[in-house]
Every structure is written in structure tokens, then in C-alpha cells.
Amino acid sequence: VGLCRWRTFKKNNWHLLYSKMVYRKLDIERTDDMVNKIEKFVKATVGKKYKVSATKLLKKKSDFEEEIRDDQTFFCSELVAACYKRIGLLPKEIPSSSYLPGTFSEKKKKLTLQQNAKLSSEYLIDFSF
């Protein structure tokens, strides 16, 4: 897991690895507690390894813990789900690894966030030209 500024992303030409990217903004009234939990989550996950496996994807039981384990790994949408769980937007009983990238797509429309949170429409960033 890495964290960088957009200008660093562009300066290092990492955008050349993708033809396009989509993001959605989280629409929620942010509290100090929520921001503190997100900051703690980011600090705990930066440097963690990427890993996706059949075992993770087929997991039926959540092993949610408030603290991030030293050996914990993440794949892209699992990381987002784990963060959302920590701030109370997703149920803790569902494994973070069961949230796939398409789960967060506006085309699915099945994702229900708690605390009246909503995701914006998709914003497309096209790197192909």
C-alpha cells in the first residue's frame, strides 16, 4: 500500500501504466472521530503488501479487528472496504475481501453505505491521449 500526491504520480509517469482510472467521492458529513480513524488506518496500512488469493476471495467469515496486523495484506477494493468498515460505513460481519472493485461501481447499485453516506457519480480520468 502506497500513498502519494497526484503531482508525484504524474511526475513519475505512473499514469502511463493505465489507460484510464475511475474514482468516486464519498459524500458524508465528516466528524473529527471519523477523520481520526481514517488517519490511523492510513498510517497503519501504508507499506503493507498487495495480495489477492482464492482463499481471501472465498472467505465467508469476517476477521475484522480494530488494529491492523503486522502481516496483513490487501488488494485494492479490500483496502477501501476495510477503511469504510473502520468508520462505520460497511458492516463488520462481511469480510473486506468480499468487496470487489465492481462492488463500488455505480453500475452495480447494490452497495448500501451506512450513516446516510453515498458515493458520487463516477469521474473518469482518461490517460490515453
Side-chain angles (χ1 to χ4, degrees), residues 3-16 18-23 123-127:
L3 182 67
C4 74
R5 295 188 180 278
W6 184 252
R7 69 173 160 255
T8 304
F9 184 82
K10 293 284 287 177
K11 181 180 171 187
N12 288 304
N13 291 318
W14 293 330
H15 64 286
L16 299 176
Y18 310 93
S19 60
K20 56 186 149 186
M21 185 183 294
V22 174
Y23 74 95
Y123 293 92
L124 173 67
I125 303 171
D126 190 345
F127 296 120

Side-chain angles (χ1 to χ4, degrees), residues 28 34 37 83-92 113-115:
I28 189 171
M34 186 182 297
K37 286 180 180 180
C83 184
Y84 282 10
K85 285 167 74 171
R86 276 174 180 70
I87 59 174
L89 301 185
L90 290 174
K92 293 179 181 178
L113 299 175
Q114 298 169 0
Q115 299 185 33

Side-chain angles (χ1 to χ4, degrees), residues 42-58:
V42 169
K43 287 177 185 175
T45 56
V46 167
K48 297 295 180 195
K49 293 187 180 194
Y50 176 93
K51 183 178 179 183
V52 64
S53 66
T55 305
K56 271 189 167 193
L57 296 174
L58 297 172

